[in-house]
Amino acid sequence: VVQVRDVEALARMESAKIEGKIVYFSARMERARDGAGYGKTVAIRTAGPSAAASKGALAVVIRSVGTSNARLPHTGTTVYNIGSPRIPAVAISNPDADLLERQLAMGKPLVLQVNVTARDLPQTRSANVIGEIPGTDKAEEIVLLAAHLDSWDLGTGALDDGAGIAIITAAAHMLKDIEPKPRRTIRVVHFANEEFGLSGSRAYTEHVISSNERHALAMEADVGAGPVYSLESRVAPEQLALIKQIWTVLEPLGVERGGNRASGGADISALRAHGVPVMSPRLDATSYFDYHHTANDTLDKVDPKAIAQSATAFAVAAYLAARVEQSWMPLEGGS
Amino acid sequence: VVQVRDVEALARMESAKIEGKIVYFSARMERARDGAGYGKTVAIRTAGPSAAASKGALAVVIRSVGTSNARLPHTGTTVYNIGSPRIPAVAISNPDADLLERQLAMGKPLVLQVNVTARDLPQTRSANVIGEIPGTDKAEEIVLLAAHLDSWDLGTGALDDGAGIAIITAAAHMLKDIEPKPRRTIRVVHFANEEFGLSGSRAYTEHVISSNERHALAMEADVGAGPVYSLESRVAPEQLALIKQIWTVLEPLGVERGGNRASGGADISALRAHGVPVMSPRLDATSYFDYHHTANDTLDKVDPKAIAQSATAFAVAAYLAARVEQSWMPLEGGS
């Protein structure tokens, strides 16, 4: 076993030190409200296996990309590069990673046996589920509420992305009561297959482009149950005043004003790249990565108060986005 | 599946409702600093299987007797009564118990398949590990520091009872430096087999009785890493002033004065029943039952600051117990 912090550290190592060995990636994800630790660490899972394979490693073991202290490993996408051997790659929980590191630190020869029973199953047919409240005088302009139906298989997906589905669906339900005939069309899309390659999002975006549908603004809920702590955006600079107006209404819910560099989320990223502006009520991710993509993603982790606040924030934001007089301008140059 | 809260609720039910069914015990353990929720709930595990079997149940499933929200079940002693069939008995984690209850609440027929692979292994030989700092003018009076070496097999036993072993051993190590020649003998016993019938404790107690060894006072650490929050005791009423003196020294460590009804702990309970007084620095158990007897009982759960305070509290208490002029009086009538 060779311990390496991350993919960058591996890149600096000679192949001779890696060949015929199991590579263990030790980088630990940091806890943060915005979940930024995930993006900083996840490359050990996505890119680590092929990077190690290209230097002759036999297998890869990583410290789970999560903040949990439970002995339940984290899973997620791994990308095997064409041309690198598809070597076995597994994640171990944080406590087990600690144990392995203590054993490695003792400096004695360590034999690690990796037994992988995972296998690829054939693809199957799935579908996006779409509902909308048709608009009136601006009906051809669509305000999109996005979340995804699928989940990693270890848990039940209550947080990822059951909570997101609940938030946008509850928000639409509230809107139907408050404003059954909105100016712009409010469309709720439950995307298929976010986790395994965004094929639901791609099919939807292709449809949008080919049918010339006009998406005024997109919002996505895919970071757990909340609460919403900040309103970020990615809109044309001329429209920041509009976002500020919407934020003023959200402020009493405890929502801060965030920046204008929002990514929005995975399922709407293709739309954003195509110029659709994004409004992003940010969900508090402090504890999200204790459960995300593990067996522990279950309904008891959803705080009813937090998710009620989140649904309300999404409803208010969508209500105002659909109602404002000014048109939402496409982003220049896309994402 | 028949859902029943606990053994008392089962006792009130007719056998006709239980016969041929799987009994699910739903009682949920409460979190508390003194860990009292464990004693209130654990009967579903210890007595539940035989109680259900005596009414014709096929198997027992219980909600884990613990406070964790991790999807890791809790284990521990089950007592099969002679005369009741030894039916399979398993625990499921709190999130899985929640799921089962939601499904039962839907009122539809529910089939539960119980697959148990546990088996009894033959007994093996083990040993108590004993060390002492010999006393001087009161050497024949022993101040006992107790903890246990064994653990349930799912985790590594870092908290139960690695932490206790560390606390009493570190305490003795401090004492050796501070007072290499104490008045009373300070004896550290690492007990074998606390978990599976207290045979280490029984063998030790039999030795104490047959050899007429005089145990002045006993202290045990077996509720995790601490910190110590209270000094309880079970001493003759005339000696409460002595306990108060010792507590005064511990108070700056954040230790409250507890009552005089301490049980002391499992490994010293036979000594206590034999009249040995008990001093009990209580370890904070607020999070202990998140990890106790599960795969999650690992070293990362030990807070270095808390365990350092605990070891110090045990050292101070043992130092004073070994040093005071007044003799420790046996308890009347034992436990």
Side-chain angles (χ1 to χ4, degrees):
Chain A
V1 186
V2 184
Q3 180 175 336
V4 182
R5 193 185 132 69
D6 53 22
V7 177
E8 289 72 43
L10 181 80
R12 291 190 297 268
M13 290 177 71
E14 294 164 33
S15 293
K17 289 191 172 167
I18 304 298
E19 268 164 30
K21 299 280 175 59
I22 297 173
V23 170
Y24 163 65
F25 287 109
S26 65
R28 184 191 286 270
M29 180 183 161
E30 286 166 22
R31 187 183 297 279
R33 192 172 64 166
D34 65 359
Y38 190 66
K40 289 178 196 164
T41 324
V42 73
I44 64 173
R45 191 194 72 216
T46 52
S50 277
S54 72
K55 296 205 174 203
L58 295 180
V60 161
V61 175
I62 67 166
R63 178 184 282 276
S64 281
V65 184
T67 52
S68 175
N69 75 358
R71 250 171 113 195
L72 296 166
H74 176 269
T75 188
T77 303
T78 298
V79 181
Y80 283 116
N81 294 342
I82 295 162
S84 297
R86 289 170 60 106
I87 60 174
V90 303
I92 57 178
S93 70
N94 277 313
D96 287 315
D98 292 344
L99 176 62
L100 178 60
E101 287 179 30
R102 285 196 300 272
Q103 290 177 324
L104 286 167
M106 290 166 79
K108 292 180 194 160
L110 186 68
V111 177
L112 199 67
Q113 194 176 328
V114 177
N115 180 20
V116 179
T117 56
R119 63 210 158 99
D120 284 333
L121 295 178
Q123 295 203 354
T124 186
R125 203 172 177 79
S126 189
N128 297 331
V129 177
I130 303 178
E132 61 182 34
I133 307 173
T136 50
D137 63 312
K138 292 173 184 287
E140 77 289 354
E141 298 176 25
I142 296 164
V143 171
L144 181 71
L145 290 170
H148 66 85
L149 284 170
D150 62 315
S151 184
W152 285 89
D153 54 340
L154 298 174
T156 64
L159 288 171
D160 184 14
D161 188 24
I165 292 286
I167 288 167
I168 63 165
T169 310
H173 201 266
M174 287 184 231
L175 287 174
K176 197 168 67 75
D177 293 339
I178 298 164
E179 184 143 81
K181 296 188 176 187
R183 300 187 73 181
R184 292 181 181 82
T185 295
I186 292 170
R187 182 181 290 174
V188 172
V189 180
H190 295 180
F191 283 98
N193 189 31
E194 186 267 349
E195 301 290 2
F196 214 67
L198 291 163
S199 55
S201 168
R202 273 192 280 119
Y204 182 81
T205 307
E206 280 161 25
H207 161 81
V208 167
I209 295 170
S210 67
S211 64
N212 235 342
E213 272 187 349
R214 170 128 189 251
H215 278 58
L217 193 76
M219 297 167 63
E220 178 173 326
D222 184 16
V223 200
V228 170
Y229 70 91
S230 167
L231 184 68
E232 293 191 359
S233 59
R234 183 169 303 205
V235 297
E238 306 91 295
Q239 301 206 297
L240 281 170
L242 214 51
I243 297 289
K244 198 181 169 188
Q245 269 182 38
I246 294 174
W247 166 71
T248 307
V249 183
L250 289 174
E251 199 185 6
L253 290 173
V255 179
E256 304 161 12
R257 174 72 182 103
N260 197 40
R261 299 280 304 162
S263 83
D267 276 313
I268 62 173
S269 60
L271 288 171
R272 196 194 69 215
H274 198 64
V276 175
V278 159
M279 184 159 59
S280 187
R282 288 296 293 258
L283 297 155
D284 189 322
T286 307
S287 65
Y288 181 61
F289 291 98
D290 288 344
Y291 309 121
H292 169 261
H293 292 198
T294 76
N296 236 349
D297 183 355
T298 50
L299 188 60
D300 56 305
K301 311 310 185 305
V302 175
D303 174 5
K305 270 193 183 169
I307 200 169
Q309 186 266 17
S310 299
T312 307
F314 270 77
V316 169
Y319 168 83
L320 293 169
R323 192 189 172 95
V324 290
E325 180 57 36
Q326 200 177 331
S327 287
W328 293 100
M329 297 161 60
L331 294 171
E332 284 204 22
S335 84
Chain B
V1 186
V2 183
Q3 180 175 337
V4 183
R5 194 185 131 68
D6 53 21
V7 177
E8 289 72 44
L10 181 79
R12 290 191 296 270
M13 290 176 73
E14 294 164 33
S15 293
K17 289 190 172 167
I18 304 298
E19 268 164 31
K21 298 280 174 58
I22 298 173
V23 170
Y24 163 66
F25 286 110
S26 65
R28 183 191 286 268
M29 181 183 160
E30 287 167 20
R31 187 182 299 277
R33 192 174 65 166
D34 65 359
Y38 190 65
K40 289 179 197 164
T41 324
V42 73
I44 65 172
R45 191 194 72 217
T46 54
S50 277
S54 71
K55 296 205 175 203
L58 295 180
V60 160
V61 176
I62 68 167
R63 178 184 281 275
S64 282
V65 184
T67 52
S68 174
N69 75 357
R71 248 169 114 196
L72 297 166
H74 175 269
T75 187
T77 303
T78 298
V79 180
Y80 283 116
N81 293 341
I82 295 164
S84 297
R86 289 170 60 105
I87 60 174
V90 303
I92 57 177
S93 70
N94 276 313
D96 287 314
D98 292 344
L99 177 62
L100 179 59
E101 288 180 30
R102 284 195 300 271
Q103 290 178 323
L104 286 167
M106 289 166 81
K108 293 181 193 162
L110 187 67
V111 177
L112 199 66
Q113 193 175 327
V114 178
N115 180 19
V116 179
T117 56
R119 62 209 158 100
D120 284 332
L121 295 178
Q123 295 202 353
T124 186
R125 203 171 177 80
S126 188
N128 297 330
V129 177
I130 303 177
E132 62 182 32
I133 307 172
T136 50
D137 64 312
K138 292 175 185 284
E140 76 289 355
E141 298 176 25
I142 296 162
V143 171
L144 180 71
L145 289 171
H148 67 86
L149 285 170
D150 63 315
S151 183
W152 284 89
D153 53 340
L154 298 174
T156 65
L159 288 171
D160 184 15
D161 187 23
I165 292 285
I167 288 167
I168 64 164
T169 309
H173 201 266
M174 287 184 230
L175 288 173
K176 195 167 69 71
D177 293 338
I178 298 163
E179 184 143 82
K181 297 188 177 190
R183 300 187 74 181
R184 292 181 181 82
T185 294
I186 291 169
R187 182 180 291 173
V188 172
V189 181
H190 296 180
F191 284 98
N193 189 30
E194 186 266 351
E195 300 290 2
F196 215 67
L198 291 163
S199 55
S201 168
R202 275 191 279 118
Y204 182 81
T205 307
E206 280 162 23
H207 162 80
V208 166
I209 294 171
S210 66
S211 63
N212 236 342
E213 274 187 348
R214 171 129 188 250
H215 279 57
L217 193 76
M219 294 166 65
E220 180 172 327
D222 184 16
V223 200
V228 170
Y229 70 92
S230 166
L231 185 67
E232 293 190 0
S233 59
R234 183 168 304 204
V235 298
E238 306 91 295
Q239 301 205 299
L240 281 171
L242 214 51
I243 297 290
K244 197 180 171 190
Q245 269 182 38
I246 295 174
W247 167 70
T248 308
V249 183
L250 289 174
E251 200 185 6
L253 290 173
V255 178
E256 305 162 11
R257 174 72 183 103
N260 197 39
R261 300 279 304 161
S263 82
D267 276 313
I268 62 173
S269 60
L271 288 171
R272 196 194 68 214
H274 197 64
V276 175
V278 158
M279 186 159 59
S280 188
R282 289 296 295 258
L283 297 156
D284 189 321
T286 307
S287 65
Y288 181 61
F289 291 99
D290 288 344
Y291 310 121
H292 169 261
H293 291 199
T294 76
N296 235 349
D297 183 354
T298 50
L299 187 61
D300 57 304
K301 311 310 186 304
V302 175
D303 173 6
K305 272 192 183 170
I307 200 169
Q309 186 266 19
S310 298
T312 307
F314 269 77
V316 169
Y319 168 83
L320 293 169
R323 192 188 172 93
V324 290
E325 182 57 36
Q326 200 178 329
S327 288
W328 292 100
M329 297 161 62
L331 295 171
E332 285 204 19
S335 86

